[in-house]
Amino acid sequence: MFTGIIQTVGRIARIERRGGDVRLTIDTASLDMGDVALGDSIAVGGVCLTAVELGAQSFAADVSNETLSLTSFGQLGPGSRVNLEKALRLADRLGGHMVSGHVDGLGKVVSITNDGRSQRWTFEVPPILTRYIAAKGSICIDGTSLTVNEVSGNRFGVNLIPHTVEHTTFADRKAGDAVNLEVDVVARYVERLLGAGGGNGIDEDFLREHGFAR
């Protein structure tokens, strides 16, 4: 699990084709690798990858064709910058929200507009994901935990403060770019509970009464 609080921005150092899929080597820049062991998980652009090789300031991970097709990894090349976060420890602060590193789909940057010193970003998402996105709810974009400002159809908006833009790959993004999306896991469990039925007493009225829906 991760928090969606980016620890540093690394770069893709090498992409090797191996038996039909790829092995990525990632330059981890300032990320402290002293407590990382083989087999540990690291979120790369919001995708949970397993470290299979370790260097002083790098690691390698195997990426399947499934991951390449469902994420923005298929569009990356050597030198591409990626958000990095090591896996959450039980003693860590949960500054963002619970993130699994399992990307639900690709979104697209629609627009970026200045709002004081901050920026307002609008994203377009696959229709199947819209039911999981709610105003003031959480969403993970390229591994970054963000709060949804508003939702309209299959589009939603967020506000990015200067620190977030400067310390993540949002500094590289422009309208039309693809981004990795992971919806809040709570939304999926709520959907599952509502769909389960069976007299459990949980329905839309129950959720509204207890502040989980409007």
Side-chain angles (χ1 to χ4, degrees):
M1 299 297 292
F2 306 90
T3 69
I5 304 299
I6 303 305
Q7 294 172 319
T8 194
V9 176
R11 290 184 182 273
I12 303 296
R14 187 165 61 252
I15 302 176
E16 303 172 68
R17 295 285 173 183
R18 292 195 173 195
D21 51 33
V22 302
R23 174 166 291 187
L24 297 180
T25 300
I26 295 128
D27 176 355
T28 58
S30 61
L31 189 68
D32 179 10
M33 297 291 287
D35 59 352
V36 177
L38 287 176
D40 281 358
S41 297
I42 299 177
V44 180
V47 183
C48 179
L49 297 181
T50 301
V52 297
E53 292 179 0
L54 293 174
Q57 286 303 136
S58 68
F59 74 97
D62 291 325
V63 181
S64 69
N65 285 323
E66 176 79 359
T67 299
L68 291 172
S69 66
L70 294 177
T71 69
S72 62
F73 278 5
Q75 302 172 30
L76 300 180
S80 294
R81 300 203 319 151
V82 287
N83 293 326
L84 298 178
E85 182 191 355
K86 293 187 290 187
L88 175 68
R89 296 174 298 188
L90 291 179
D92 287 342
R93 290 186 177 93
L94 185 60
H97 70 283
M98 296 301 291
V99 174
S100 69
H102 301 156
V103 171
D104 291 301
L106 281 175
K108 182 178 72 173
V109 180
V110 175
S111 64
I112 306 166
T113 57
N114 292 326
D115 185 7
R117 294 188 305 113
S118 298
Q119 295 178 344
R120 296 185 72 86
W121 290 56
T122 300
F123 298 90
E124 188 173 276
V125 303
I128 195 172
L129 296 182
T130 57
R131 64 181 182 269
Y132 303 115
I133 302 172
K136 307 309 176 187
S138 296
I139 191 161
C140 187
I141 303 177
D142 281 345
T144 308
S145 172
L146 296 170
T147 299
V148 177
N149 283 349
E150 69 279 331
V151 180
S152 178
N154 68 330
R155 294 184 176 185
F156 71 93
V158 301
N159 187 81
L160 298 183
I161 62 173
H163 179 88
T164 301
V165 175
E166 293 166 7
H167 292 87
T168 68
T169 56
F170 282 113
D172 307 334
R173 297 285 174 261
K174 62 185 183 303
D177 283 354
V179 292
N180 295 322
L181 299 175
E182 181 185 333
V183 300
D184 191 351
V185 66
V186 173
R188 289 197 174 277
Y189 280 116
V190 168
E191 180 185 51
R192 176 66 175 169
L193 287 169
L194 287 173
N200 57 24
I202 299 176
D203 55 19
E204 291 187 16
D205 290 337
F206 175 92
L207 294 176
R208 289 192 191 95
E209 179 183 350
H210 292 83
F212 291 102
R214 296 181 177 180

